Amino acid sequence: MGNTKIIDFLEKQGKIDKITADKLRVDLIKSSQGEEQLLLSQGIVDDIVLAQVKSELFNIPYADLLNINIPDTVFGLIKVDSLKTYNAVPFSQEGNEIKIAMVDPFDIQAIQAIEHMLPLGSRLVVHISTQKAVNAILERKSGEVISTEVSEALEDIEGPVTELDSTSASSLDDVSLQNAPIARIVNSIFQFAIKSNASDIHIEPMEGKLRVRLRIHGILTEKLALPKHLTSSVISRIKIMADLKIDEKRIPQDGRITLKSGDRKVDIRVSTLPTVYGEKIVMRILESGNEVPALETSGLRGNGYKIYMDSIRATNGIILITGPTGSGKTRTLAGTLGKLNDPKVNIITLENPVEIRVPGVNQVQINPDVGLTFATGLRSILRQDPNIVMVGEIRDRETAQLAVEASLTGHLVLSTLHTNSAATAVPRLIDMGIEPYLLASTLRLVVAQRLPRRICPYCREAIPATEAEIMDIKKVLSNLQNFDIYKYATDFCKAEKSKIGNTVGSAVMAGAPVNTDGPSGSTDVKCPEVTPDGKQILYLYKGKGCDRCNGTGYSGRIGIFEVMSITESMGRMMMDNSTASDIENEGVKNGMILMKQDGYLKALEGVTTIEEVMRVSKD
């Protein structure tokens, strides 16, 4: 039998029962995984608990790096590149004693190498920490290289720089930084964006400065302000990288940049726009080779998920995903294609651009410059014997008409539309020129979605809801049949506590991990309570802000949805030119949960906040 020290320890400490321990020992024999990987993959422990168990088992101190203030003088004792190589972080120094946290404290060669890098006479005290914590510190600390790069570059051209925020940035590989000052500044801007997982970079000439803003988790935030006189040079540098015309400043241009940092490769879609103060550039960051997102993690769930899955299994009809730019429509469609992908089915897509590559699916990149538009491409692919057609966006009458014709001839058509709700897709298509009777016979399902930010699971805390908040929740959810917010919150709370009680590490809640050992110490859910005077207390949740979420209280985003299945009665309403409001009311009668309601339910579960739902959802 393989090494089972940790399993034995967990059983001895009563953290897992004998049945679970015996099963793990058998699984370890059958599996090619090591003991630690097996425990992590089965959710028996998370990385923090595993590190703490190893700390206790092997008598190695545990370092909670994310809750330690690491002095720059200590971190700077060893080069960042070496720290990344050895998965180590120095975090404290007392005299000649230097404390260092390592992912693998048993790596003797790494320890010896680090000792040679330290000042003579230093004594190394090794602690254990997690890979995530070490990575987070290395990224945050090495992010300060950006400020240095920008400042040094500006010294070369004698200009000041205003640093607004650099906590979430990190540098690219040194080899990608060119010697030219402007090139170094532009690369530093990319560093801010890529390492902070921004979706867009905005380079904006203002009256007295060149402003750099990033959109992170849907929120646009100013990060840098550069001197006004650098505007032309910075814009020109980006246009050269994107293969755009430098001397053309009167009309908008579109281009593309490909960057590589380590194992990551990103495509950057560049768009220029003339403004009164100069050309503004917006760059959309697209991760090359993105994995196909699982539909189950999107936030689509319950009856809406069941209706959606039933609809995409149809052989014909139109399924639309609606919402504004940046609401997650592309990821939902990619997850859908992942579900539909089968060697027996011919799937062809038309996209602009192809953001997520789905293995086995024929994906076509739109190129208007050579006449390959959604409409012309759709005509051609219908001659390619497709079963399923995905059109990136229906934006004109011709594309809409061809989509309807394709669905009438036995094809399942998936597409997106820019509307505020599921019901408003109907008048939008009619306004494009689609006959109501054709729409009634082809439209099968409309899904509207938004992406509110998700509460950081590591600093989440329960806050008693105010009377005004409770009244608002009751009003929004009032039309849900037999719904009681206190019962809903209680049932959910009990289910979550049961999950937490049955595992040592974290449980998964609506696609988000719930850490039971987070920095706040109060990230667990709280059930509704009744005070001695009979008053009911309902808890909502927010993030206090921690190192993992850069103090924002949010980490990642989660989808909120409304799924409107087109019934016969709705078809008749379309032919009678009923309003979107009437069609929506009919959907609600049939059990449709509105997008705002889905968001409020997720707020009751601690996934997001009421404020985030209000920010992204329609009135």
Side-chain angles (χ1 to χ4, degrees), residues 101-131:
M102 299 182 67
V103 177
D104 182 4
F106 306 107
D107 190 340
I108 303 301
Q109 288 184 333
I111 293 172
Q112 290 175 344
I114 291 171
E115 285 177 335
H116 282 99
M117 299 175 193
L118 295 173
L120 197 63
S122 298
R123 189 172 75 88
L124 199 62
V125 180
V126 178
H127 288 56
I128 189 171
S129 192
T130 67
Q131 184 73 67

Side-chain angles (χ1 to χ4, degrees), residues 68-80:
I68 297 173
N69 183 26
I70 304 174
D72 292 340
T73 53
V74 176
F75 186 82
L77 290 171
I78 304 171
K79 290 183 179 180
V80 174

Side-chain angles (χ1 to χ4, degrees), residues 367-373 376-377:
N367 188 353
D369 293 339
V370 297
L372 181 55
T373 64
T376 58

Side-chain angles (χ1 to χ4, degrees), residues 534-553:
K535 181 181 178 182
Q536 287 183 302
I537 300 177
L538 180 73
Y539 289 96
L540 294 176
Y541 300 86
K542 71 172 185 178
K544 291 198 301 185
C546 64
D547 286 339
R548 287 178 172 90
C549 61
N550 292 316
T552 64

Side-chain angles (χ1 to χ4, degrees), residues 478-522:
S478 60
N479 64 356
L480 299 184
Q481 292 184 353
N482 302 318
F483 182 82
D484 180 88
I485 60 173
Y486 294 100
K487 184 178 184 306
Y488 183 87
T490 300
D491 291 345
F492 171 78
C493 175
K494 288 180 178 178
E496 283 304 305
K497 284 184 177 295
S498 175
K499 286 182 186 178
I500 293 169
N502 289 332
T503 60
V504 178
S506 60
V508 174
M509 182 191 65
V514 181
N515 185 358
T516 62
D517 191 32
S520 69
S522 59

Side-chain angles (χ1 to χ4, degrees), residues 52-53 75 81 138 239 283 285 304 422 435 445 486 502:
Q52 291 172 340
V53 167
F75 186 82
D81 289 343
L138 290 175
K239 290 171 78 173
M283 293 175 277
I285 300 174
E435 293 293 338
L445 184 78
Y486 294 100
N502 289 332

Side-chain angles (χ1 to χ4, degrees), residues 267-303:
D267 289 328
I268 300 177
R269 192 171 61 189
V270 182
S271 173
T272 72
L273 183 71
T275 71
V276 292
Y277 294 117
E279 285 182 284
K280 171 180 176 175
I281 289 184
V282 174
M283 293 175 277
R284 169 65 57 89
I285 300 174
L286 309 171
E287 191 93 19
S288 293
N290 264 354
E291 290 185 4
V292 180
L295 199 58
E296 291 82 1
T297 63
S298 65
L300 187 60
R301 60 186 187 173
N303 192 50

